[in-house]
Amino acid sequence: MDNSERKFQSKLGFILSCVGSAVGMANIWAFPYRVGKYGGAVFLLIYFMFIALFSYVGLSAEYLIGRRAGTGTLGSYEYAWNEKGKGKLGYTLAYIPLLGSMSIAIGYAIISAWVLRTFGAAVTGKILEVDTAQFFGEAVQGNFVILPWHIAVIVITLLTLFAGASSIEKTNKIMMPAFFILFFILAVRVAFLPGAIEGYKYLFVPDWSYLFNVETWVNAMGQAFFSLSITGSGMIVCGAYLDKKEDIVNGALQTGIFDTLAAMIAAFVVIPASYAFGYPAGAGPSLMFMTIPAVFKQMPFGHVLAILFFISVVFAAVSSLQNMFEVVGESIITRFKMSRKIVIFLLAIISLVIGIFIEPENKVGPWMDVVTIYIIPFGAVLGAISWYWILKKESFMEELNEGSKVKRSDAYFTVGRYVYVPLVIVVFVLGLIYHGIG
């Protein structure tokens, strides 16, 4: 691949592509119900604190190592560990977070198929006519009900990846602005619903008793961490495609801001709408696939709003799936000098073939639990340790300040090493204790 094809052509393209990777079900489904369940305004305050920290020293470190090594997961770990004379060990360890990226893509494609099927039903109006619980139940019971949608998700994602970073940039320049515009329209409409004010009160009026609830802190931290896709793999490839003239920390903070805006605007739609129609804001997994369609049934112009909602979710799903395939594909392409189209196509086939056999909820659920509780958090720990304890501080700081108008001091590295790394380990351990916090 020509080097120009590997680079983002603009800062905006880089930010939107990274936001596209980060924005997904964690923002649209998990964030609103966790805000609803774990304390509203107090949850948000804690969440904002962790988002700022994780963006500043966590996300930026993944961008940094990708740009420093000039490649993705395998090459970046090898580069970092080579500074200790252990490049082969680093290369071997890198397969753990890379496995996490591929495994999450397999499960995520199935969930995305549920979304695409629901969008199809929104277009035809079927979702407003049937029992939503029954409709969702048909999708998750297996029997190849979602297979056509599963194939469609894979094909759509495949087509957006064939041209390399430039293609990812172009598609996200369309999908991400469209996502924000569509959700903004929905948020404005929901604001005029009778009873919606109670949802806003829940979001903005603190119940300080939640400040002393351990689960509020645990879930806010987990939500912030996983929402940014700091997996020890996921964002490295974005850094590999980043120009040397760009400020890494600034890019990471902007990604965190837009990711948070996406989560907030989703909350502004979901929570006030839930309150307006008497549905529990902390309804969990059923919120997006059952509660929200039920809400649209009762709203004027509900058909149009349902279409807008689910096409927005489709955009978010595809943009995240793009990154998961790109992470794995880039490492294989670079390491084994294979054709990009062949590698991406093979990854898509692998994802589909494995995914077909775990389409039922009682199979994809345990699959995703193993990936999100064990593999991805452990990969994130490996990444954090590799960037802040294995890679030399001099190399780290040199790359960090490359393209930056503000020279960051060693205090930045100290925060990363002694605050961020321990927190990543805490996230991993708490995930084991609570059976997942992301």
Side-chain angles (χ1 to χ4, degrees):
M1 187 190 300
D2 183 85
N3 191 54
S4 63
E5 291 181 315
R6 288 175 57 90
K7 297 294 182 182
F8 291 113
Q9 301 302 305
S10 67
K11 177 69 171 290
L12 177 63
F14 165 70
I15 296 298
L16 289 176
S17 297
C18 294
V19 171
S21 171
V23 173
M25 301 304 160
N27 301 77
I28 302 168
W29 157 58
F31 181 82
Y33 99 74
R34 284 198 172 114
V35 173
K37 187 175 181 180
Y38 295 110
V42 173
F43 178 96
L44 289 177
L45 292 173
I46 300 170
Y47 176 82
F48 293 153
M49 178 186 71
F50 281 118
I51 277 284
L53 175 64
F54 291 148
S55 298
Y56 187 60
V57 291
L59 187 57
S60 58
E62 293 212 353
Y63 292 163
L64 181 150
I65 189 61
R67 192 172 75 173
R68 183 73 176 183
T71 185
T73 306
L74 295 179
S76 291
Y77 277 81
E78 186 176 34
Y79 181 95
W81 284 77
N82 199 47
E83 295 205 343
K84 297 289 187 182
K86 302 288 185 181
K88 289 185 178 179
L89 175 59
Y91 171 78
T92 303
L93 290 173
Y95 277 100
I96 297 174
L98 203 63
L99 174 65
S101 293
M102 187 63 202
S103 299
I104 198 72
I106 292 168
Y108 202 88
I110 295 169
I111 298 171
S112 300
W114 297 347
V115 174
L116 190 60
R117 177 176 181 263
T118 309
F119 167 66
V123 172
T124 62
K126 180 180 178 181
I127 194 65
L128 304 180
E129 299 168 358
V130 299
D131 179 87
T132 52
Q134 181 181 347
F135 180 79
F136 179 63
E138 292 170 356
V140 301
Q141 69 182 355
N143 299 325
F144 306 109
V145 171
I146 64 162
L147 182 57
W149 307 99
H150 195 170
I151 294 171
V153 164
I154 296 291
V155 170
I156 291 168
T157 306
L158 199 64
L159 293 176
T160 66
L161 286 170
F162 272 167
S166 59
S167 175
I168 298 171
E169 183 174 355
K170 288 173 184 176
T171 55
N172 276 289
K173 279 184 175 179
I174 297 171
M175 289 193 296
M176 282 300 99
F179 170 89
F180 281 100
I181 291 168
L182 293 172
F183 258 90
F184 179 76
I185 292 170
L186 288 167
V188 170
R189 176 64 189 90
V190 167
F192 291 95
L193 293 175
I197 188 65
E198 296 303 316
Y200 295 117
K201 286 180 181 178
Y202 189 76
L203 280 171
F204 292 115
V205 179
D207 177 351
W208 294 111
S209 65
Y210 280 100
L211 192 62
F212 306 99
N213 186 331
V214 173
E215 290 195 359
T216 299
W217 286 83
V218 168
N219 283 276
M221 180 170 65
Q223 181 69 31
F225 186 82
F226 289 102
S227 179
L228 291 171
S229 296
I230 313 173
T231 64
S233 177
M235 289 302 200
I236 294 174
V237 73
C238 291
Y241 298 155
L242 181 62
D243 196 282
K244 288 282 188 179
K245 71 176 184 291
E246 301 294 352
D247 185 329
I248 285 174
V249 176
N250 179 264
L253 290 174
Q254 287 189 48
T255 302
I257 289 169
F258 280 107
D259 180 69
T260 302
L261 285 175
M264 287 300 297
I265 199 169
F268 288 157
V269 172
V270 173
I271 292 179
S274 296
Y275 270 83
F277 292 105
Y279 290 97
S286 66
L287 191 62
M288 184 168 70
F289 293 104
M290 288 184 270
T291 304
I292 294 302
V295 167
F296 286 137
K297 281 184 182 181
Q298 304 176 58
M299 292 172 63
F301 306 106
H303 186 190
V304 174
L305 296 174
I307 293 172
L308 294 180
F309 179 84
F310 284 104
I311 190 61
S312 302
V313 182
V314 168
F315 285 163
V318 170
S319 63
S320 293
L321 203 54
Q322 268 186 333
N323 174 265
M324 296 170 196
F325 281 132
E326 183 67 22
V327 168
V328 183
E330 190 280 340
S331 282
I332 296 173
I333 293 162
T334 302
R335 178 61 54 174
F336 301 104
K337 309 301 180 187
M338 295 175 64
S339 160
R340 176 182 177 81
K341 289 185 178 180
I342 290 175
V343 170
I344 296 297
F345 180 76
L346 288 175
L347 291 177
I349 294 298
I350 291 169
S351 174
L352 181 61
V353 170
I354 296 175
I356 287 173
F357 293 99
I358 60 168
E359 282 183 351
E361 186 180 25
N362 61 2
K363 292 182 179 179
V364 71
W367 174 279
M368 294 295 276
D369 284 344
V370 170
V371 176
T372 58
I373 296 173
Y374 301 101
I375 303 176
I376 284 182
F378 185 64
V381 170
L382 286 177
I385 292 172
S386 297
W387 323 143
Y388 281 106
W389 286 94
I390 304 300
L391 183 68
K392 290 180 180 178
K393 183 173 74 171
E394 294 76 15
S395 298
F396 187 103
M397 294 306 299
E398 181 183 37
E399 191 63 39
L400 185 74
N401 285 311
E402 182 81 33
S404 175
K405 295 179 181 178
V406 178
K407 185 175 181 180
R408 270 108 190 162
S409 69
D410 288 354
Y412 176 99
F413 190 82
T414 301
V415 172
R417 174 175 280 189
Y418 296 107
V419 177
Y420 172 68
V421 175
L423 278 177
V424 176
I425 296 171
V426 168
V427 167
F428 175 51
V429 173
L430 287 175
L432 297 176
I433 294 171
Y434 282 89
H435 303 290
I437 62 171

